[in-house]
Amino acid sequence: FKSNICLSFVKQIFGFLFFLINSYGIKSLKTPKNDVLFFASTPNQYSVLNSIYKEHTKFKAAFAIPNTASKTFNTKDTNPYYLRISFIYILPVLLLLLRRLFPLLKILWQTDRRLIFLRLNSFLQIYYWLIAHQVFLKKIQPKVVIMSNDHNPENRTLIEICKYFDIKTAYVPHASVSD
């Protein structure tokens, strides 16, 4: 039993490290300023936002998707920015992670111990997204960010960073509401 717990914990840590390696580029993308930023992290979100993006070409808009998800998207219609940041930003992410890891583990342990062994990777990704979204939003400088999800780490973090920078956010439902 204890070996399964340790193995689960190690899998979560290695999953996060694998995510980090896939998230960074050799250099940051050149991104011009845009008034509107569309952000999608899954093909489902992308399909919802893509139709709106194509209809409203009068705005100076950009479409961004995470570099880690780029292989799962059919982006021939939009020419999106693949959100990745320069490898030099790994240091702030790691410092944030080191500073927050033990308090996070304590909270998860007190809330539901299974979260550590099943979902730690998702919680750790928040530290990457805090840095990545700050870098990206400072480059794009949008007035509005449009997304179609508000519950995964990349979207929740984007919402909070937008609040911090006083950037308006718009939410487009990505699925119908069930009965």
Side-chain angles (χ1 to χ4, degrees), residues 34-38 59-63 140 142-146:
N34 287 279
D35 293 332
V36 180
L37 174 64
F38 289 82
F59 299 113
K60 191 172 179 189
F63 212 118
I140 298 268
K143 294 180 177 114
V144 177
V145 174
I146 301 173

Side-chain angles (χ1 to χ4, degrees), residues 39-50 148-149 152 155 174:
F39 179 79
S41 61
T42 66
N44 187 23
Q45 294 169 31
Y46 180 80
S47 66
V48 169
L49 295 176
N50 188 29
S148 67
N149 186 325
N152 60 8
N155 289 74
H174 67 288

Side-chain angles (χ1 to χ4, degrees), residues 17-154:
L17 293 174
F18 183 73
F19 168 81
L20 274 183
I21 290 167
N22 284 325
S23 298
Y24 287 94
I26 301 299
K27 60 182 179 177
S28 294
L29 295 173
K30 295 195 184 315
T31 49
K33 293 179 183 177
N34 287 279
D35 293 332
V36 180
L37 174 64
F38 289 82
F39 179 79
S41 61
T42 66
N44 187 23
Q45 294 169 31
Y46 180 80
S47 66
V48 169
L49 295 176
N50 188 29
S51 59
I52 298 167
Y53 177 80
K54 289 190 303 190
E55 291 297 320
H56 296 326
T57 55
K58 62 185 175 187
F59 299 113
K60 191 172 179 189
F63 212 118
I65 60 176
N67 192 44
T68 53
S70 62
K71 294 172 182 65
T72 62
F73 286 76
N74 180 8
T75 59
K76 61 184 175 198
D77 296 342
T78 54
N79 195 21
Y81 296 109
Y82 294 104
L83 179 57
R84 67 174 188 256
I85 57 176
S86 172
F87 202 69
I88 63 169
Y89 291 104
I90 198 167
L91 183 60
V93 171
L94 292 176
L95 289 173
L96 191 56
L97 172 69
L98 289 173
R99 184 170 188 265
R100 296 292 309 149
L101 181 61
F102 292 111
L104 172 65
L105 290 173
K106 182 179 177 185
I107 291 168
L108 295 177
W109 186 264
Q110 292 170 347
T111 304
D112 184 348
R113 295 174 184 164
R114 294 175 299 174
L115 291 172
I116 296 171
F117 309 110
L118 300 173
R119 301 282 317 233
L120 182 62
N121 181 10
S122 320
F123 287 101
L124 296 178
Q125 286 181 24
I126 292 168
Y127 303 126
Y128 168 80
W129 291 114
L130 281 170
I131 303 298
H133 287 318
Q134 285 182 62
V135 170
F136 199 63
L137 289 175
K138 283 184 178 182
K139 288 181 179 185
I140 298 268
Q141 296 182 352
K143 294 180 177 114
V144 177
V145 174
I146 301 173
M147 61 189 79
S148 67
N149 186 325
D150 65 351
H151 59 267
N152 60 8
E154 53 271 27

